[in-house]
Amino acid sequence: TMEFEGELPKQRAFAVEYPGHVQNVQRMVDTLGGEAAIAEARTNNAPLLELRFRPADPLSHPLFGDVHPTTSNLLLKITRTRKRPVASESIAAKEG
């Protein structure tokens, strides 16, 4: 049997599927309407999330993304430490 120890964080997380390679996170947030628009979409007050590749250009046409409620998914990162052989043990193994 395996035993697990630890605490789950109290913070809630969400995911945004962005149609492009993100090099600057702040610019990505701005193209989605800012933190206020993302927060509004998260609380289900807005049915769509608007994406404008040129947010400063009033003539740019937006792309609309649907907001999907998530289930109780949990993302875990499990790491395992491995013991490295001591240098004297590896030398003795090569000689023997």
Side-chain angles (χ1 to χ4, degrees), residues 12-31:
R12 297 191 66 176
F14 67 97
V16 174
E17 212 174 306
Y18 193 78
H21 180 72
V22 177
Q23 293 180 344
N24 183 337
V25 176
Q26 186 57 48
R27 176 152 165 69
M28 186 257 322
V29 170
D30 292 341
T31 61

Side-chain angles (χ1 to χ4, degrees), residues 18-74:
Y18 193 78
H21 180 72
V22 177
Q23 293 180 344
N24 183 337
V25 176
Q26 186 57 48
R27 176 152 165 69
M28 186 257 322
V29 170
D30 292 341
T31 61
L32 291 173
E35 292 180 17
I38 296 171
E40 184 178 337
R42 280 184 60 205
T43 59
N44 295 327
N45 293 334
L48 297 173
L49 189 58
E50 206 174 273
L51 168 69
R52 292 183 181 267
F53 283 109
R54 297 183 313 261
D57 184 4
L59 299 177
S60 71
H61 296 283
L63 300 174
F64 295 100
D66 296 324
V67 177
H68 297 284
T70 59
T71 58
S72 58
N73 295 333
L74 179 64

Side-chain angles (χ1 to χ4, degrees), residues 58-95:
L59 299 177
S60 71
H61 296 283
L63 300 174
F64 295 100
D66 296 324
V67 177
H68 297 284
T70 59
T71 58
S72 58
N73 295 333
L74 179 64
L75 175 65
L76 291 177
K77 178 182 178 183
I78 300 174
T79 58
R80 185 175 97 183
T81 57
R82 296 183 182 183
K83 294 181 181 178
R84 294 186 178 192
V86 181
S88 61
E89 291 177 4
S90 62
I91 293 171
K94 289 181 183 177
E95 292 176 358

